[in-house]
Amino acid sequence: MICVLVTAKNGQLGQCFQNLAPQYADIEFVFKTSSELDITNKAKIEGAFGSHSFDYCINCAAYTAVDKAEEAIELADKVNHIGAKLLAESCQKFNITLIHVSTDFVFDGKATVPYLEGDITNPLGVYGKTKLKGEQAILKTLKHYFIIRTSWLYSEYGNNFLKTMLRLAEQRDELGVVGDQVGSPTYAKDLAEAILQIIELKTTHYGIYHYSNEGEISWFDFAKEIFRLSGSSIKLNKIETKDYPTPAIRPKYSILNTDKISRLLSIKIPNWKVSLEKAYSNLLKQKV
């Protein structure tokens, strides 16, 4: 039996793991909320790790409010950097493999081809900088780790683009969505399944990996498909980034090259449209 600790169980990725857990009879899961396991508190981490014999820790805890992070610098660093560092140190002490979720925001978005794991990082804002510092702390501390960078995460849980678009479609007749930022949406449940497959493989191909759903689209394209699925009659207008200023600068190009995770770990990655349909269907089931 493989024993796995999952942090931040109430976040959208944490909830996806809880939803999938019954399908993995060979894995014993222990789920902790952010209050039950504060990853910025070394004593709390060591207490949790010492109470069980864990093989893996999946860190879903993160400060992800990209715009708020521009002012809440200390808090973002505490969770995204110091929290990752403390988890890594405790994983080293207790001989636990850390699986840490990171982001496309470690890149500046100036590329013209999908980002490889070894490409130069250059985050534009506080969120990306603190996530990168978290990655670097793990690299300095651990040999047994998986850092998985993902992009445009959404699901039927929590706050995300899918749910925001559906809410706005009920409130408005017209909406402008940015069409000059390109990326790959990632269904959080697909990411969770990929991570669980890595655990079941018991692979020693440790390192940094990229995972996002297949396909390159803009936020406008994403919204358009969401409204098509929902049958919404909202008028959708394509706007440019300059027309929708935000405190944090977003990468213009966020495509992650996922060849490594497919090749080394045999992870099959669905197309974004297929996954969006699944997510929307699951969201409708929740409302019944």
Side-chain angles (χ1 to χ4, degrees), residues 11-21 155 157 187-189 192:
Q12 65 169 331
L13 188 56
Q15 289 186 72
C16 286
F17 278 114
Q18 288 182 79
N19 181 270
L20 289 167
S155 68
Y157 307 108
Y187 183 24
K189 196 170 282 186

Side-chain angles (χ1 to χ4, degrees), residues 18-44:
Q18 288 182 79
N19 181 270
L20 289 167
Q23 299 174 31
Y24 291 81
D26 56 339
I27 299 177
E28 178 192 351
F29 291 91
V30 174
F31 294 97
K32 298 283 187 181
T33 65
S34 293
S35 56
E36 290 169 340
L37 175 53
D38 178 0
I39 67 165
T40 68
N41 185 316
K42 185 175 182 178
K44 287 280 180 71

Side-chain angles (χ1 to χ4, degrees), residues 85 88-90 92 136-143:
K85 179 176 181 286
E89 288 172 354
S90 290
Q92 176 71 11
Q136 291 167 340
I138 292 167
L139 293 176
K140 285 178 185 175
T141 308
L142 283 174
K143 290 182 179 177

Side-chain angles (χ1 to χ4, degrees), residues 162-222:
L162 168 62
K163 293 176 76 174
T164 298
M165 289 300 105
L166 293 172
R167 175 173 52 80
L168 291 176
E170 292 177 354
Q171 298 172 350
R172 303 185 188 180
D173 299 320
E174 192 170 344
L175 183 67
V177 176
V178 171
D180 60 352
Q181 292 174 24
V182 179
S184 300
T186 306
Y187 183 24
K189 196 170 282 186
D190 288 344
L191 175 60
E193 284 186 320
I195 289 171
L196 293 175
Q197 285 171 40
I198 290 170
I199 289 172
E200 288 199 314
L201 275 173
K202 298 180 181 177
T203 180
T204 55
H205 286 297
Y206 304 115
I208 298 175
Y209 290 88
H210 289 169
Y211 183 95
S212 61
N213 284 130
E214 290 292 334
E216 301 184 11
I217 62 168
S218 69
W219 289 110
F220 173 83
D221 299 323
F222 196 15

Side-chain angles (χ1 to χ4, degrees), residues 3-261:
C3 194
V4 177
L5 173 66
V6 180
T7 67
K9 76 173 192 179
N10 291 337
Q12 65 169 331
L13 188 56
Q15 289 186 72
C16 286
F17 278 114
Q18 288 182 79
N19 181 270
L20 289 167
Q23 299 174 31
Y24 291 81
D26 56 339
I27 299 177
E28 178 192 351
F29 291 91
V30 174
F31 294 97
K32 298 283 187 181
T33 65
S34 293
S35 56
E36 290 169 340
L37 175 53
D38 178 0
I39 67 165
T40 68
N41 185 316
K42 185 175 182 178
K44 287 280 180 71
I45 297 169
E46 294 202 347
F49 283 11
S51 68
H52 236 84
S53 182
F54 292 110
D55 300 294
Y56 292 86
C57 172
I58 304 172
N59 182 31
C60 301
Y63 185 93
T64 58
V66 175
D67 289 320
K68 289 181 181 177
E70 292 300 307
E71 291 187 357
I73 299 170
E74 189 176 334
L75 179 57
D77 188 74
K78 191 177 180 184
V79 179
N80 295 340
H81 167 216
I82 303 303
K85 179 176 181 286
L86 293 176
L87 276 177
E89 288 172 354
S90 290
C91 282
Q92 176 71 11
K93 181 177 178 178
F94 288 90
N95 194 29
I96 297 168
T97 299
L98 178 61
I99 301 179
H100 178 75
V101 180
S102 194
T103 174
D104 58 303
F105 274 68
V106 299
F107 299 112
D108 60 17
K110 294 178 181 176
T112 53
V113 294
Y115 283 102
L116 293 164
E117 286 81 356
D119 284 346
I120 294 169
T121 52
N122 184 33
L124 300 173
V126 171
Y127 169 65
K129 287 174 183 175
T130 57
K131 288 295 287 183
L132 179 59
K133 284 165 74 177
E135 287 188 12
Q136 291 167 340
I138 292 167
L139 293 176
K140 285 178 185 175
T141 308
L142 283 174
K143 290 182 179 177
H144 296 177
Y145 69 88
F146 296 92
I147 293 171
I148 302 179
R149 296 177 182 144
T150 191
S151 61
W152 297 19
L153 205 64
Y154 72 94
S155 68
E156 56 269 39
Y157 307 108
N159 298 313
N160 54 70
F161 189 78
L162 168 62
K163 293 176 76 174
T164 298
M165 289 300 105
L166 293 172
R167 175 173 52 80
L168 291 176
E170 292 177 354
Q171 298 172 350
R172 303 185 188 180
D173 299 320
E174 192 170 344
L175 183 67
V177 176
V178 171
D180 60 352
Q181 292 174 24
V182 179
S184 300
T186 306
Y187 183 24
K189 196 170 282 186
D190 288 344
L191 175 60
E193 284 186 320
I195 289 171
L196 293 175
Q197 285 171 40
I198 290 170
I199 289 172
E200 288 199 314
L201 275 173
K202 298 180 181 177
T203 180
T204 55
H205 286 297
Y206 304 115
I208 298 175
Y209 290 88
H210 289 169
Y211 183 95
S212 61
N213 284 130
E214 290 292 334
E216 301 184 11
I217 62 168
S218 69
W219 289 110
F220 173 83
D221 299 323
F222 196 15
K224 187 177 178 182
E225 184 62 13
I226 290 168
F227 295 143
R228 186 193 69 78
L229 283 173
S230 65
S232 173
S233 58
I234 190 171
K235 184 184 178 188
L236 187 60
N237 301 314
K238 186 185 289 188
I239 62 172
E240 295 182 10
T241 300
K242 63 180 177 62
D243 301 322
Y244 188 70
T246 56
I249 303 169
R250 265 73 173 170
K252 282 286 189 82
Y253 184 88
S254 280
I255 308 297
L256 300 174
N257 186 310
T258 58
D259 289 348
K260 182 182 174 183
I261 201 167

